[in-house]
Amino acid sequence: MVHPMNDTALQKPTASELQILQVLWGRGPSTVREVHDALQEEKALGYTTVLKLLQIMTAKGTVRRNEDQRAHVYQACQPATETKRQLVDDVLKRVFEGSASELMIHALEGRRTSKKELEELRRLLDEYQGRTP
């Protein structure tokens, strides 16, 4: 399946940028202060570091900045599903030679997967199989 933005290739976010995206996807458009406060629970980043990361992400096109208000408001340019799909597609091609089954096997090996999660995976596979000719 080809996605329209695959050729423009997602500039892979760093670990810190992904944490910021998680905040923006969860909260929606947010100020630097709001992102900083949300990140404080799990990662000790200074306010100026968060601001600098958001500026870099704006330059990359990962987030957009709304300057209509006194405090600039940032939001993710792509929904979480599209960014995750592009990142998985990249790993699938580079690491697993395009094999989704290899990716899934390695994702499940070495970790405890609940019965509920396995049932959900089976349901998703059945649903996907129903959509594929």
Side-chain angles (χ1 to χ4, degrees):
M1 177 184 276
V2 175
H3 298 284
M5 297 192 72
N6 276 359
D7 290 337
T8 59
L10 172 73
Q11 288 195 32
K12 287 181 217 70
T14 65
S16 293
E17 290 172 352
L18 268 174
Q19 287 182 312
I20 289 172
L21 285 171
Q22 293 286 357
V23 170
L24 294 175
W25 289 325
R27 290 182 48 90
S30 304
T31 65
V32 178
R33 172 68 53 207
E34 291 167 335
V35 172
H36 174 259
D37 290 349
L39 289 173
Q40 287 310 298
E41 297 169 14
E42 50 188 82
K43 188 170 188 166
L45 287 178
Y47 178 89
T48 55
T49 302
V50 173
L51 173 60
K52 185 65 178 168
L53 285 167
L54 282 164
Q55 290 169 338
I56 291 167
M57 293 169 74
T58 300
K60 283 181 168 182
T62 309
V63 299
R64 67 174 77 75
R65 179 177 57 217
N66 179 340
E67 300 175 10
D68 291 346
Q69 303 169 35
R70 185 168 179 256
H72 295 172
V73 175
Y74 292 84
Q75 70 182 76
C77 289
Q78 291 186 342
T81 53
E82 185 61 29
T83 300
K84 290 175 184 180
R85 186 177 293 128
Q86 289 178 3
L87 289 170
V88 167
D89 188 52
D90 180 61
V91 169
L92 189 65
K93 288 176 184 169
R94 287 185 311 111
V95 180
F96 298 101
E97 299 174 354
S99 171
S101 62
E102 282 286 315
L103 176 105
M104 182 176 268
I105 288 167
H106 287 281
L108 294 173
E109 280 182 351
R111 67 184 290 263
R112 198 145 165 75
T113 307
S114 71
K115 183 178 178 181
K116 183 178 178 181
E117 190 173 21
L118 288 172
E119 288 170 356
E120 178 64 7
L121 286 169
R122 282 187 186 93
R123 186 193 66 74
L124 290 169
L125 287 169
D126 290 343
E127 181 181 305
Y128 183 77
Q129 187 174 14
R131 290 184 302 188
T132 307

